[in-house]
Amino acid sequence: MALKGVYFAVFAAVVFATISSVCSESEVLDSDASVPFIPRLMHDNGSVVVNMPLSKSVIFTRHTREDIDVSSLEEDIVAVTSGVADAAETISSVTDTLATLASPEQVASLSAQLQSLNFAADQTVEKHKIEGISNMVGIVSSQAQVTKSFVDSVNDVLPQLKSNIDATVSMTTEVYTNRIKQQHTFDTLGDVKGVLAPRLSVMASLKSTLDSEASVHVANFNELVGRLEVAESLAVNLNGIDSLIAQFKGTHLTNPRLPVFRFAEFSTYAQCCGWYWGNRGEFYGGVNPSSWSNGNGRADQMSADPAILRNLFNKAVHCGYNCAVHNEEWYSYSSDNGRHGAVLMRVKNNNEMAIDWKLEFFYSSYGGWSEAASLSLNGQNVWSTTANCGRCIRQQTITIPPSKTSTIILVVGSSPQSGTRTSHLAFYNDCLDLPDGLEWVDDLDVIEEL
């Protein structure tokens, strides 16, 4: 309602000020036509003042876009200036009343006052002059109706607007309250996090340690499971193992101090065909047959390749601490052929110090026909002879290196000819009973190097 009153007051003031200004300044504005006039729009004590020369048109536009030209009233306005002054006072009163208009009844009262104004104007000006003023009043009335409609529409919308505002305020309040609660929760969680952070770090470190230990335990467990499976498999497959062990009892497999070694005996020349196998050495330990019987071949000259040695030393000997390995008498038809006997022993020293072992043996050799007897240790010559021995004895001490398995090879030739020739090799005086720390090994079939 206050908005409607203000609107009417401003509009009435504009109308009154315009008419007064036109009447009071018309002569002044036209008195000096030679001076160019510039239209002015001024504000004076809450009123809008418009200055225009009488020669110019003043047009008001209704809300409906209808133009009203009031310039045709300028001649008559001079004559009715005094009457208009009275009307101005009445309009001023009406303006004050319009400022407080808020209901249809007040609009009706205003219309009655306007009719009274029209009656007073009829006494001083001609009817067509007053019609212009009536049109102005009609504009005022039309604007009042528009304003009232606007106010009514605003009043219709206000309840819903207020409801929306209240809902928005309520929602905003709720959101703000929740935000405060959330912030309080975040602050609390931050404090809790600050307290828990060191503990979480300790727990993480502990978890890492436990994971590592768990991995070790899992690996150990899996290994134990594997061993258990193997043990269970062995338990199934070892039925009758006692009888199997009994079969090996008394052999080097259960007692590595019992002697076991490799043996070979061979001739070198055939009267019908010459040197055996084309005089190829790979069948004779890497030494040519002609070297054995005509060139004083020795044990240390034999190959270090186990595969070549296996070609010759393909028989195993199991015996006591004394052992007759080779003894033979035969007819010789030439100096080219010789009968030889040889042994290959593998002895392991389990100590970190070298151990001396004394060998005592019978042997034969004939230097006159270049058939030597010899002893080697790990490919090195220890002893050799080209003496003419039909049956000789030798005591030879050898030093077995520590922490390894050593290879000992002993080769004998044949005796001088006496109608027949003999060849023999035997160990005596329990020399095959190894000193403490040494043991026999039979691994020539599986080793790749000596």
Side-chain angles (χ1 to χ4, degrees):
M1 296 302 291
L3 177 62
K4 182 167 63 178
V6 171
Y7 186 89
F8 281 137
V10 171
F11 186 81
V14 171
V15 173
F16 178 75
T18 301
I19 296 172
S20 299
S21 175
V22 170
C23 295
S24 60
E25 297 189 20
S26 61
E27 294 180 0
V28 176
L29 294 176
D30 284 349
S31 62
D32 190 2
S34 62
V35 178
F37 179 79
I38 300 175
R40 297 192 302 274
L41 176 63
M42 298 180 294
H43 177 273
D44 184 21
N45 296 328
S47 301
V48 177
V49 179
V50 180
N51 291 334
M52 291 291 293
L54 292 178
S55 60
K56 303 298 181 179
S57 298
V58 178
I59 299 173
F60 292 90
T61 302
R62 292 181 183 271
H63 183 67
T64 58
R65 303 298 182 183
E66 177 186 356
D67 294 339
I68 301 173
D69 189 353
V70 298
S71 61
S72 61
L73 301 178
E74 57 188 20
E75 294 87 357
D76 298 322
I77 287 176
V78 175
V80 296
T81 299
S82 60
V84 171
D86 296 335
E89 293 181 1
T90 303
I91 291 173
S92 177
S93 176
V94 172
T95 301
D96 294 336
T97 302
L98 288 175
T100 58
L101 289 179
S103 66
E105 292 79 4
Q106 291 173 328
V107 173
S109 176
L110 176 61
S111 297
Q113 294 180 24
L114 289 175
Q115 291 176 2
S116 176
L117 176 62
N118 289 335
F119 176 77
D122 288 340
Q123 302 301 317
T124 57
V125 296
E126 295 178 2
K127 184 176 181 179
H128 69 276
K129 306 294 192 305
I130 300 304
E131 288 178 356
I133 296 175
S134 297
N135 290 335
M136 295 180 187
V137 173
I139 292 173
V140 173
S141 298
S142 176
Q143 294 298 329
Q145 291 297 329
V146 172
T147 301
K148 180 179 182 302
S149 298
F150 173 75
V151 172
D152 290 342
S153 64
V154 170
N155 289 333
D156 292 340
V157 174
L158 281 177
Q160 182 62 39
L161 180 60
K162 181 178 182 302
S163 176
N164 293 341
I165 292 174
D166 291 341
T168 302
V169 170
S170 177
M171 183 176 64
T172 303
T173 302
E174 182 179 358
V175 170
Y176 179 73
T177 302
N178 291 336
R179 285 291 179 85
I180 292 176
K181 291 180 180 179
Q182 290 177 358
Q183 186 61 44
H184 178 70
T185 302
F186 291 155
D187 293 342
T188 303
L189 290 176
D191 295 339
V192 173
K193 181 179 179 182
V195 173
L196 292 179
R199 301 181 182 180
L200 291 175
S201 178
V202 172
M203 292 179 67
S205 177
L206 179 60
K207 180 180 181 299
S208 177
T209 301
L210 291 177
D211 289 343
S212 177
E213 293 181 356
S215 299
V216 174
H217 292 318
V218 169
N220 292 338
F221 176 78
N222 292 334
E223 182 179 359
L224 290 176
V225 170
R227 291 182 179 180
L228 179 61
E229 292 176 351
V230 172
E232 291 176 348
S233 177
L234 289 175
V236 173
N237 296 321
L238 289 181
N239 293 330
I241 189 63
D242 292 339
S243 62
L244 183 62
I245 293 176
Q247 295 180 21
F248 290 103
K249 189 175 182 180
T251 69
H252 78 283
L253 296 176
T254 57
N255 183 4
R257 292 187 57 81
L258 295 178
V260 59
F261 48 87
R262 296 300 181 100
F263 162 71
E265 58 181 1
F266 54 90
S267 294
T268 59
Y269 185 84
Q271 285 298 122
C272 68
C273 307
W275 303 108
Y276 277 102
W277 298 305
N279 202 33
R280 294 171 63 175
E282 64 264 30
F283 297 105
Y284 290 86
V287 178
N288 297 330
S290 60
S291 295
W292 283 122
S293 58
N294 276 357
N296 288 319
R298 298 193 312 270
D300 62 291
Q301 296 172 342
M302 300 182 78
S303 173
D305 186 351
I308 293 178
L309 295 177
R310 281 193 290 266
N311 294 337
L312 180 64
F313 294 101
N314 49 34
K315 302 176 182 65
V317 175
H318 300 273
C319 59
Y321 297 135
N322 297 314
C323 187
V325 178
H326 165 68
N327 56 322
E328 186 177 357
E329 183 179 24
W330 53 284
Y331 284 101
S332 173
Y333 297 98
S334 73
S335 63
D336 290 328
N337 187 35
R339 288 285 181 90
H340 296 264
V343 294
L344 183 151
M345 302 174 175
R346 295 274 290 167
V347 177
K348 183 178 182 180
N349 184 352
N350 293 314
N351 296 323
E352 296 181 356
M353 297 179 62
I355 298 176
D356 290 337
W357 176 29
K358 184 179 180 180
L359 278 173
E360 300 179 63
F361 54 90
F362 291 94
Y363 70 95
S364 57
S365 64
Y366 185 22
W369 282 0
S370 301
E371 296 179 20
S374 61
L375 175 68
S376 69
L377 172 64
N378 294 328
Q380 302 296 318
N381 184 51
V382 175
W383 166 82
S384 65
T385 182
T386 56
N388 297 328
C389 292
R391 186 187 66 188
C392 297
I393 296 175
R394 178 69 182 179
Q395 296 177 342
Q396 180 67 46
T397 298
I398 58 177
T399 302
I400 306 301
S403 305
K404 65 176 293 185
T405 299
S406 295
T407 302
I408 301 99
I409 298 177
L410 176 60
V411 181
V412 299
S414 296
S415 67
Q417 185 176 11
S418 178
T420 61
R421 297 185 69 187
T422 60
S423 178
H424 58 90
L425 172 61
F427 296 95
Y428 71 98
N429 204 21
D430 291 335
C431 71
L432 298 182
D433 184 10
L434 296 174
D436 291 341
L438 301 181
E439 62 182 37
W440 295 96
V441 178
D442 183 20
D443 61 356
L444 183 62
D445 291 335
V446 296
I447 59 175
E448 296 182 357
E449 60 182 14
L450 298 178

